[in-house]
Amino acid sequence: MTKKIPISEIFGPTVQGEGPLIGRPAVFVRTGGCDYRCAWCDTLYAVLPEHSDEWVPMTASDILARVNDLTAGHPILVTLSGGNPALWSLEPLIALGRSQGHHFALETQGSVAAPWFASLDWLVLSPKPPSSGMPMNWDTLDMCVGAAGDRTRSALKIVVFDDGDYEYARSVALRYVGLPIYLQVGNPTPLIAANGEISETASNDHLLERLRWLIGRVTEDYWFDATVLPQLHVLTWGNRRGV
Amino acid sequence: MTKKIPISEIFGPTVQGEGPLIGRPAVFVRTGGCDYRCAWCDTLYAVLPEHSDEWVPMTASDILARVNDLTAGHPILVTLSGGNPALWSLEPLIALGRSQGHHFALETQGSVAAPWFASLDWLVLSPKPPSSGMPMNWDTLDMCVGAAGDRTRSALKIVVFDDGDYEYARSVALRYVGLPIYLQVGNPTPLIAANGEISETASNDHLLERLRWLIGRVTEDYWFDATVLPQLHVLTWGNRRGV
């Protein structure tokens, strides 16, 4: 029997909108299920159990067939996201995909570590700041950082809505000296979602105003090791799914 | 006698808005003078001889004194831009700056190669596409690529306004297989400048529309080695100088 993974969506090719791989063409594989409930989660459809009937159980080869369908078989960066994709054993998927020339990046909050992180090309850890409402578990984050392999490039990505989040990001950077850290402007649209429906329209004026604020914080503090980025896909397409 | 370099402006710290170092805090050192006259040049004040009386002749230590003043002595990424900064001997500046902990990136069109490129941390080559109106010199670009040193990370950055520019970018990528290539959405504001005065306001709607177009071109062609980015500083601040 081949293990199946609940898949919320597979889409692309588009470009990665955030973090160290910003602007890079990618196909996104989004797993269903999450151990977190962030206040501003923008993918509740991949998080909440009441959506689980929308998730399709797929084997590694099912998933790669779909990826190859989208890319006409051309190797691409496959971004594994969620939900929390670290809840699932993705090693067979990565091994099979690598044998076909694909590269793999994982996006996870750092609450669950797995040995197969070592087979990733990129490990992007996004521990959640205070505004998420989630507690911080430094031990699991330590384990995630330690699970990266020799060929894995690791990075931290922290969503920043406010001063509390910013100070949290500073504390994360202090703990993991030498790991590249990306500060990402928070997208408030999910916080004002009506009836759980996130508006497809984002306010670029607001997002860019917060970007200017965040750049100001970083430069005033001479924090020159940090990289400051918006979510480019939100500026480009709003909160639409599938891009 | 210490050699002086004509400096159009030194500003920052802000974040780099484009290319491989997007989002990275940086101070910009802009030299005056250029061997090109691109149709859509956004820094004519650092290009045209009639502005040369605004350029201040500075020694390497003058320049670094100003950089250190802006960063309170904290090491930072110094982006050398222009005009064409490759017209000047920047080796003493880089050597002195590196001894103070700074890192250096050069932005140049690839029309002039210099041995001191080998001392750079980053060499960002932006050969100009057809829409610039400038002729292509592959020989000098070859020499620039070859001038990078062991510690120099090189990248190509191509401004893309239209299909002609896009095809040109494809040909550049074919010639320099293995060099990372960044496609950058062209900013049309300079083309519609009244009396040489570029409007401080950019049209984000237009820029994002062109970004969606460029992402579409790249993904339809399965060109997954390219990275597609806007000029983040233009989205964030329009065409204002000094940010």
Side-chain angles (χ1 to χ4, degrees):
Chain A
M1 197 192 78
T2 316
K3 270 225 173 121
K4 296 198 174 185
I5 303 152
I7 298 297
S8 165
E9 58 185 348
I10 300 175
F11 65 90
T14 182
V15 301
Q16 170 59 270
E18 57 189 55
L21 295 161
I22 191 168
R24 205 73 65 84
V27 165
F28 288 78
V29 174
R30 190 182 305 286
T31 59
C34 196
D35 46 328
Y36 274 29
R37 296 292 182 272
C38 297
W40 31 254
C41 179
D42 56 356
T43 52
L44 284 173
Y45 58 88
V47 166
L48 299 177
E50 52 260 48
H51 288 275
S52 60
D53 56 354
E54 302 160 18
W55 306 339
V56 180
M58 296 175 82
T59 64
S61 78
D62 292 340
I63 294 167
L64 283 164
R66 180 67 189 138
V67 169
N68 287 321
D69 190 40
L70 291 169
T71 68
H74 294 80
I76 198 167
L77 170 71
V78 178
T79 295
L80 307 167
S81 188
N84 184 2
L87 296 177
W88 309 100
S89 174
L90 301 182
E91 186 150 36
L93 172 65
I94 296 167
L96 184 59
R98 288 184 64 95
S99 76
Q100 298 172 357
H102 298 295
H103 289 88
F104 287 85
L106 182 77
E107 306 256 353
T108 182
Q109 63 261 45
S111 58
V112 176
W116 54 265
F117 288 6
S119 61
L120 290 163
D121 298 284
W122 282 91
L123 173 59
V124 182
L125 296 166
S126 303
K128 301 306 177 190
S131 65
S132 71
M134 290 295 108
M136 181 61 205
N137 187 331
W138 294 103
D139 292 338
T140 59
L141 187 56
D142 286 349
M143 283 190 278
C144 286
V145 169
D150 290 341
R151 71 172 167 216
T152 311
R153 297 173 74 175
S154 301
L156 297 158
K157 185 178 67 182
I158 316 282
V159 171
V160 178
F161 276 90
D162 53 29
D163 286 321
D165 291 351
Y166 178 83
E167 292 306 330
Y168 167 82
R170 296 279 277 176
S171 68
V172 174
L174 277 175
R175 188 176 180 101
Y176 303 104
V177 174
L179 266 194
I181 187 163
Y182 292 77
L183 308 187
Q184 177 172 303
V185 175
N187 175 10
T189 323
L191 289 167
I192 51 173
N195 309 317
E197 286 293 313
I198 295 176
S199 165
E200 285 201 352
T201 311
S203 166
N204 283 2
D205 285 348
H206 175 82
L207 292 169
L208 293 170
E209 188 279 317
R210 296 309 288 167
L211 178 59
R212 289 188 290 270
W213 166 78
L214 187 51
I215 292 170
R217 286 298 317 253
V218 164
T219 53
E220 282 158 23
D221 284 348
Y222 308 113
W223 187 11
F224 300 147
D225 292 333
T227 299
V228 184
L229 289 173
Q231 289 177 295
L232 194 52
H233 55 292
V234 178
L235 292 177
T236 307
W237 284 290
N239 300 304
R240 275 178 51 205
R241 279 179 65 173
V243 280
Chain B
M1 198 192 77
T2 315
K3 270 226 173 124
K4 295 198 174 183
I5 301 153
I7 297 298
S8 164
E9 58 185 347
I10 299 175
F11 64 90
T14 180
V15 301
Q16 170 59 267
E18 57 189 51
L21 296 160
I22 191 167
R24 205 74 64 83
V27 165
F28 287 79
V29 174
R30 190 182 305 285
T31 60
C34 196
D35 47 327
Y36 274 28
R37 296 291 182 276
C38 297
W40 31 254
C41 179
D42 57 355
T43 51
L44 284 174
Y45 58 88
V47 167
L48 300 176
E50 52 259 46
H51 288 275
S52 61
D53 56 353
E54 301 160 19
W55 306 339
V56 179
M58 296 175 80
T59 64
S61 79
D62 291 340
I63 294 167
L64 283 164
R66 180 65 188 140
V67 169
N68 286 319
D69 188 41
L70 291 169
T71 69
H74 293 80
I76 197 168
L77 170 71
V78 178
T79 295
L80 306 168
S81 188
N84 184 1
L87 296 176
W88 310 100
S89 174
L90 301 182
E91 186 150 37
L93 171 65
I94 296 167
L96 184 60
R98 288 184 65 95
S99 76
Q100 298 172 358
H102 299 296
H103 289 88
F104 287 86
L106 182 76
E107 306 257 352
T108 181
Q109 63 260 47
S111 58
V112 175
W116 54 264
F117 287 6
S119 61
L120 291 162
D121 298 283
W122 281 91
L123 172 59
V124 182
L125 296 166
S126 304
K128 301 305 177 190
S131 67
S132 70
M134 291 293 109
M136 182 62 206
N137 187 332
W138 293 103
D139 292 338
T140 58
L141 187 57
D142 285 349
M143 283 190 281
C144 287
V145 169
D150 290 342
R151 72 171 165 215
T152 312
R153 296 174 74 176
S154 300
L156 295 157
K157 186 178 68 182
I158 317 281
V159 172
V160 178
F161 276 91
D162 53 30
D163 287 319
D165 291 352
Y166 178 82
E167 292 306 330
Y168 167 82
R170 295 280 276 175
S171 68
V172 174
L174 277 174
R175 187 176 180 102
Y176 304 103
V177 174
L179 267 193
I181 188 164
Y182 292 76
L183 307 187
Q184 178 173 300
V185 175
N187 174 9
T189 323
L191 289 167
I192 51 172
N195 309 317
E197 286 293 313
I198 296 176
S199 164
E200 285 201 352
T201 310
S203 165
N204 283 2
D205 286 347
H206 175 82
L207 293 170
L208 293 170
E209 189 279 318
R210 295 309 287 167
L211 178 60
R212 288 188 290 269
W213 167 79
L214 187 51
I215 292 169
R217 286 297 317 254
V218 164
T219 53
E220 282 158 26
D221 284 348
Y222 308 113
W223 188 10
F224 301 148
D225 292 333
T227 300
V228 184
L229 289 173
Q231 290 177 295
L232 193 53
H233 55 292
V234 177
L235 292 176
T236 308
W237 284 290
N239 299 304
R240 274 178 53 204
R241 281 178 64 173
V243 280

